[in-house]
Amino acid sequence: MDKKGGGNVYELEHTELSEKVYQLLKKMILNREFIGGQRLDLNDLSQKMNISRTPLKDAVNRLVQEGLMEVKPRSGTFVTNLKISDIEEVSEMRLMIEQWCVSHLTELRAQELVAALEDILEKFNRTLSVKPFPFESFLELDVRFHNEIVQAVDNQRMLEQYRSINSFLHAARIYFFQSYERSLSGHDEHMAFVQALKRYDLLEACGKLEEHIMNSKISMIARLQENGGAL
Amino acid sequence: MDKKGGGNVYELEHTELSEKVYQLLKKMILNREFIGGQRLDLNDLSQKMNISRTPLKDAVNRLVQEGLMEVKPRSGTFVTNLKISDIEEVSEMRLMIEQWCVSHLTELRAQELVAALEDILEKFNRTLSVKPFPFESFLELDVRFHNEIVQAVDNQRMLEQYRSINSFLHAARIYFFQSYERSLSGHDEHMAFVQALKRYDLLEACGKLEEHIMNSKISMIARLQENGGAL
């Protein structure tokens, strides 16, 4: 596997190189080998990993998209540092957008949405019975569940903005949500939301959404506070 | 004024160069010398204007910020082309954000906001009696009026997203709103909104906002349709 056969994990084959670089960097972030707020020296990294800048840039771009890294103009590339205020701001925007979408559903659109969400709920259910709990699959379904809600209102710009918010929260969830219990109660909250939507009770559905997003927020902030208020 | 004294409008002094380039490009867009959707060749422009890329880039960045130009990754810099669907999407997002902010005002925050808005209304009033009608000043006050609403909710990310939406609409208003009559009725709608807010009747205030944003949208779309549906 290693180019020089020297067992150096930093040296990688050139096939699907950017995919491997992406996986490696992601693992290093999630394992806290890079910490939140840390500046990454891309020149240094490309030397250490013995790769050119292009695959490294590709990998970094994917991590930026997922909210695990951020590029600050004129200062460099950083590992995302989440603060309590970030989680509060982003949760508020998420609630605003999702509630707007739900409260503007026609009855037909609501029924189409219910069908799509019930399909995802079934997959959620299966995930919850797998051991060890496949947290990443659960998270992916969660993202799909909430994207469906926003897609139901036909506004491309809104969907783009929502996705960029959600990719940020995705990073927070990866850090803080590796909990079977919270996943289980999140699943219950999703089901209660779909039930209200099925009765076309949009006010109730908006209430259930608020509960769900507030619980997520509280849970994330609690974990963050255990960490001293920043990652 | 001109560097070589040859009377060529493309040649500019190097003092406050990017400001002048910005003013010139803006004028060319508003006078339709550049048209919506047109790709701008920055190399060609910097040669024709006899300037280096740096002040040109600065000027373009300001116009992008204002929504008059857009940079599309891997394809270049374009003059913003507004379509009906853009105005619909952006109006919906604007209404969503402003209504969210109004419906989450405490009584104290509402009173502070009323004070700030009344100050702007007074300036609006003065603008309306000036002849010829100073449309750009009116527009600037309009942007300030709506920014105040969003600033009243303390969410930095929301304000940033709102501003980027609003700068896009700003371009639409420059094109389509050079109407004294629409400005006058817009002013009346602003006043009705502030009156409701003064009574802390948030539901009524949200209704007045909806009327205002819908009327703006309808007026913009009507003008756009006169233009064949795109700029």
Side-chain angles (χ1 to χ4, degrees), chain B residues 14-221:
Chain B
H14 276 68
T15 49
E16 298 182 335
L17 191 56
S18 85
E19 171 68 24
K20 286 185 180 174
V21 174
Y22 160 78
Q23 294 292 351
L24 180 60
L25 290 178
K26 186 167 178 173
K27 210 172 108 186
M28 291 177 83
I29 294 173
L30 298 181
N31 291 344
R32 304 288 182 95
E33 292 172 58
F34 296 133
I35 58 170
Q38 183 176 339
R39 188 175 172 283
L40 295 179
D41 184 335
L42 298 190
N43 283 326
D44 185 49
L45 266 180
S46 75
Q47 275 180 19
K48 277 194 182 144
M49 298 175 96
N50 194 18
I51 54 170
S52 67
R53 296 266 300 194
T54 312
L56 181 59
K57 278 270 191 181
D58 287 345
V60 166
N61 285 342
R62 279 180 70 184
L63 291 160
V64 168
Q65 288 260 316
E66 291 180 8
L68 288 168
M69 288 191 181
E70 44 189 349
V71 175
K72 295 181 191 169
R74 280 179 301 281
S75 57
T77 304
F78 296 81
V79 179
T80 300
N81 194 17
L82 293 167
K83 295 183 299 299
I84 288 176
S85 62
D86 289 321
I87 290 175
E88 280 172 342
E89 285 192 4
V90 165
S91 298
E92 185 176 19
M93 293 188 69
R94 199 185 151 202
L95 180 60
M96 171 181 76
I97 295 175
E98 293 189 31
Q99 280 193 339
W100 173 272
C101 293
V102 168
S103 61
H104 287 76
L105 287 172
T106 61
E107 203 160 350
L108 180 65
R109 283 282 191 159
Q111 291 321 317
E112 287 169 354
L113 179 57
V114 165
L117 295 181
E118 282 184 332
D119 185 57
I120 298 174
L121 283 181
E122 220 178 279
K123 295 193 177 82
F124 261 124
N125 234 336
R126 280 203 289 276
T127 314
L128 285 165
S129 61
V130 175
K131 289 198 170 76
F133 177 48
F135 181 71
E136 291 224 17
S137 312
F138 186 87
L139 212 60
E140 212 178 274
L141 288 171
D142 190 54
V143 170
R144 276 177 55 197
F145 187 93
H146 291 280
N147 278 346
E148 287 285 349
I149 297 173
V150 180
Q151 268 163 350
V153 165
D154 196 22
N155 187 324
Q156 203 49 44
R157 264 189 187 74
M158 197 179 285
L159 185 60
E160 275 164 29
Q161 294 220 338
Y162 178 77
R163 279 201 173 129
S164 79
I165 290 165
N166 227 9
S167 75
F168 179 87
L169 270 189
H170 193 77
R173 289 198 204 103
I174 287 176
Y175 287 125
F176 297 118
F177 258 3
Q178 313 229 17
S179 148
Y180 183 72
E181 288 66 33
R182 174 61 205 143
S183 301
L184 209 56
S185 57
H187 181 54
D188 288 343
E189 290 158 12
H190 282 165
M191 285 197 294
F193 167 73
V194 173
Q195 286 311 313
L197 211 56
K198 214 167 173 168
R199 295 190 305 272
Y200 196 56
D201 185 344
L202 299 186
L203 202 67
E204 171 83 2
C206 281
K208 291 297 172 193
L209 255 189
E210 182 153 9
E211 255 174 61
H212 175 58
I213 291 176
M214 287 303 121
N215 285 339
S216 298
K217 183 181 96 169
I218 290 165
S219 164
M220 277 192 270
I221 290 179

